[in-house]
Amino acid sequence: MKDILLVEDNRELAELLQAFLEKDGFSVHSVPTGEEASAYLEENRVKILLLDIMLPGMDGFAVCRAVREKGNMPILIMSARAEKDDKLNGFGLGADDYMEKPVDPDLLTAKVRAVMQRTYGARTKTDYLVSGGLTIDRNSRKVYREGQAVELNAKEYELLLLLAENPGRTLHKEYLFDRIWGMESFSENQTLTVHIKMLRSKIEDDPRAPKRIQTVWGVGYRYEEI
């Protein structure tokens, strides 16, 4: 289950907000239309809906109405439509908050964190990331496989967490290296390959035929939830 469904048709803004939210530890699925949001929610559960209003096709108000008819999931609206009537309409349809665009990513993240803590409890803010037989405890920086502790060094842990926070997405080698070791690092890119190999030896049933950490040849790596 993802923490957040982000519905935003501006790709650049969606990527920016997703990056800020994921940096704070939330898992995010992003779609550009109301129709895709509705289809996703038919098959998946999320904890919070972040919703733009001016969407192509099915607008955000229609999405808000449809979601609220089925449950009490928190809904945070983000919109350039800042008239009083728009805000009243949003709150009348069941939105929990209405933020005017341009949205400050730090303020949005703080609001999401507050809603998470208020709605689901202080520790539900994904202190634990569970994927298949793996559990990652962000507070203690410990990893468990089928309930058994997995001994990882600091870089292996950071690499696993980064991959697991982006399931199904191919992360380029350069991006992974820069995020884990930093652009100013004296390490070589081969270091990434070595750490991937070591990580697989600890979390895969068969490191020679990995299921969790997939190689995308010539590009990078992709984490799959199994």
Side-chain angles (χ1 to χ4, degrees):
M1 180 173 68
K2 295 288 186 181
D3 294 319
I4 300 165
L5 175 61
L6 171 61
V7 191
E8 171 58 62
D9 64 326
N10 183 315
R11 181 177 178 180
E12 184 176 348
L13 176 58
E15 291 178 349
L16 173 65
L17 296 179
Q18 184 167 350
F20 266 82
L21 290 164
E22 289 179 343
K23 183 179 179 181
D24 203 58
F26 298 107
S27 58
V28 182
H29 182 75
S30 177
V31 296
T33 69
E35 289 81 359
E36 289 178 76
S38 295
Y40 184 84
L41 290 172
E42 286 293 330
E43 303 293 334
N44 303 274
R45 295 173 57 204
V46 299
K47 295 177 180 175
I48 290 181
L49 179 64
L50 295 184
L51 182 63
D52 185 20
I53 292 301
M54 293 187 290
L55 299 168
M58 183 181 188
D59 70 11
F61 288 136
V63 175
C64 185
R65 182 184 300 107
V67 170
R68 190 53 75 231
E69 287 175 352
K70 296 181 179 180
N72 295 316
M73 176 201 314
I75 301 173
L76 277 64
I77 288 177
M78 310 171 296
S79 180
R81 291 169 58 171
E83 297 297 324
K84 180 179 179 180
D85 287 345
D86 291 318
K87 294 180 180 180
L88 289 174
N89 190 21
F91 286 120
L93 290 171
D96 296 272
D97 203 344
Y98 196 114
M99 299 182 66
E100 296 181 22
K101 287 184 175 179
V103 175
D104 183 305
D106 289 321
L107 179 59
L108 175 63
T109 300
K111 283 179 175 285
V112 168
R113 190 186 309 119
V115 170
M116 281 283 195
Q117 293 174 346
R118 184 171 65 250
T119 306
Y120 301 106
R123 288 191 60 82
T124 308
K125 185 235 150 195
T126 57
D127 293 324
Y128 297 98
L129 191 159
V130 181
S131 174
L134 288 184
T135 299
I136 303 174
D137 185 340
R138 290 188 175 92
N139 282 341
S140 67
R141 294 174 63 88
K142 292 182 178 180
V143 176
Y144 302 88
R145 178 186 174 197
E146 305 295 346
Q148 300 297 314
V150 179
E151 295 299 324
L152 302 179
N153 65 36
K155 295 302 183 186
E156 289 169 350
Y157 169 83
E158 292 170 9
L159 182 57
L160 174 61
L161 180 61
L162 180 57
L163 287 164
E165 286 177 338
N166 294 276
R169 296 177 59 187
T170 298
L171 302 183
H172 288 245
K173 295 177 183 177
E174 294 79 8
Y175 172 79
L176 289 167
F177 185 82
D178 289 346
R179 283 289 303 272
I180 304 303
W181 284 273
M183 297 182 65
E184 304 302 323
S185 172
F186 292 103
S187 299
E188 298 179 358
N189 285 327
Q190 184 64 22
T191 301
L192 172 61
T193 305
V194 172
H195 277 72
I196 289 289
K197 181 178 180 180
M198 295 301 297
L199 198 49
R200 282 172 170 163
S201 72
K202 298 176 180 180
I203 67 169
E204 299 283 2
D205 294 331
D206 182 357
R208 293 171 297 180
K211 294 183 178 180
R212 288 189 174 92
I213 302 178
Q214 300 283 323
T215 299
V216 181
W217 296 106
V219 181
Y221 300 95
R222 182 180 65 248
Y223 185 87
E224 295 291 352
E225 296 177 314
I226 63 173

